[in-house]
């Protein structure tokens, strides 16, 4: 199975909004609403930020939101803060009952 | 709340079998509709899903690793384990265990353990 496609890097200034895309196929992202997003700071374990495309776990800021259109899922972070600087990964369930991650996106807060 | 902790050798020789255990605390590994999973991350690279096991014993593996991976569960010890055979330097990575649910993604995660494959 191929990794989901994410941009290698994105950047934004404090207070701005950014969107990270996650492109797959009809066999993964497009076929199921089991897309989740993870934030990972250097040297730390990933943290769940969004699950089932649009849902935020308790404790995650409402500045984080998720969406999906066709084979592409997106994570939007509004009101960027310095602490948002991290790597972000998407994940999707796939046909064949497996899971696949995106390649990851490094977010830089300018 | 549920916490996960990986354990096992930090150094494995090439061609040998990597063995790791994930201990679940704060809840029973048998309760709920969860898949217990392994994920790895080579230094400076992205996350790779290795596989998962349901408490019934049903497993699913990454097709690219399937021939070398075995995941098992020991409900009496509240643990699940990973075995990866015939390892090479390419298997050097931080290995994470995590709990997955179709309705909730991977949460929580263990802190991760570095496994180096070297002679």
């Amino acid at each position: 199975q191929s990794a989901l496609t994410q941009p290698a890097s994105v950047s934004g200034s404090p207070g701005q909004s950014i969107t990270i895309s996650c492109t797959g196929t009809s066999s993964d992202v497009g076929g199921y609403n089991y897309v989740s997003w993870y934030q990972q700071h250097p040297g730390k374990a990933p943290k769940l930020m969004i699950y089932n495309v649009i849902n935020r776990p308790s404790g995650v800021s409402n500045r984080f939101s998720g969406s999906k259109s066709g084979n592409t899922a997106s994570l939007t972070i509004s009101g960027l803060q310095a602490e948002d600087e991290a790597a972000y990964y998407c994940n999707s369930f796939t046909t064949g009952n497996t899971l696949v991650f995106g390649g990851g996106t490094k977010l830089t807060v300018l | 709340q549920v916490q996960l902790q990986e354990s096992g050798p930090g150094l494995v020789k090439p061609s040998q079998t990597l063995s790791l255990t994930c201990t679940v605390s704060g809840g029973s590994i048998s309760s709920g509709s969860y898949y217990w999973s392994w994920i790895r991350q080579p230094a400076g690279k992205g996350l790779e899903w290795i596989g998962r096991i349901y408490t019934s014993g049903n497993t699913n593996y990454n097709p690219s690793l399937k021939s070398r991976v075995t995941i098992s569960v020991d409900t009496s010890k509240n643990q699940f384990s990973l075995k990866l055979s015939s390892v090479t330097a390419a298997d050097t990575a931080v290995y994470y265990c995590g709990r997955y649910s179709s309705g909730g993604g991977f949460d929580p995660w263990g802190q991760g353990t570095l496994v180096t494959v070297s002679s």
Side-chain angles (χ1 to χ4, degrees):
Chain A
Q1 60 191 19
S2 300
L4 305 175
T5 300
Q6 297 182 233
S9 63
V10 298
S11 63
S13 299
Q16 288 186 331
S17 295
I18 63 95
T19 297
I20 299 172
S21 61
C22 170
T23 300
T25 69
S26 58
S27 295
D28 39 63
V29 174
Y32 307 93
N33 285 327
Y34 294 145
V35 176
S36 49
W37 289 90
Y38 303 86
Q39 176 191 65
Q40 187 181 35
H41 288 108
K44 301 295 187 181
K47 175 187 176 184
L48 177 66
M49 305 302 285
I50 295 288
Y51 65 94
N52 289 13
V53 178
I54 62 171
N55 295 295
R56 254 188 334 271
S58 174
V60 172
S61 170
N62 60 9
R63 298 185 298 105
F64 291 83
S65 62
S67 63
K68 190 181 84 167
S69 176
N71 297 335
T72 298
S74 298
L75 173 71
T76 297
I77 309 174
S78 59
L80 269 180
Q81 299 179 0
E83 67 206 51
D84 300 332
E85 184 163 297
Y88 291 85
Y89 295 91
C90 60
N91 177 270
S92 175
F93 179 79
T94 83
T95 304
N97 225 1
T98 64
L99 296 161
V100 63
F101 283 97
T105 299
K106 167 64 176 166
L107 168 61
T108 300
V109 180
L110 302 171
Chain B
Q1 73 277 20
V2 172
Q3 293 183 311
L4 283 66
Q5 177 69 59
E6 306 89 350
S7 60
L11 181 64
V12 181
K13 289 182 167 52
S15 80
Q16 294 191 342
T17 296
L18 178 160
S19 296
L20 295 174
T21 296
C22 183
T23 301
V24 180
S25 59
S28 171
I29 199 170
S30 299
S31 65
S33 300
Y34 297 114
Y35 294 86
W36 303 93
S37 301
W38 288 97
I39 303 104
R40 69 181 183 178
Q41 184 174 36
K45 297 188 177 181
L47 300 169
E48 179 179 33
W49 178 73
I50 298 171
R52 65 182 186 176
I53 187 166
Y54 198 62
T55 48
S56 64
N58 289 344
T59 54
N60 303 111
Y61 299 130
N62 185 324
S64 68
L65 299 169
K66 187 174 183 177
S67 64
R68 298 194 292 131
V69 173
T70 302
I71 297 176
S72 58
V73 64
D74 186 336
T75 54
S76 67
K77 294 182 178 180
N78 232 30
Q79 296 176 334
F80 63 105
S81 298
L82 168 71
K83 290 189 186 300
L84 181 65
S85 64
S86 305
V87 297
T88 69
D91 295 308
T92 294
V94 173
Y95 285 75
Y96 294 99
C97 58
R99 185 182 71 175
Y100 179 85
S101 67
S102 296
F106 288 100
D107 185 55
W109 295 63
Q111 66 183 29
T113 187
L114 174 62
V115 178
T116 302
V117 178
S118 175
S119 56

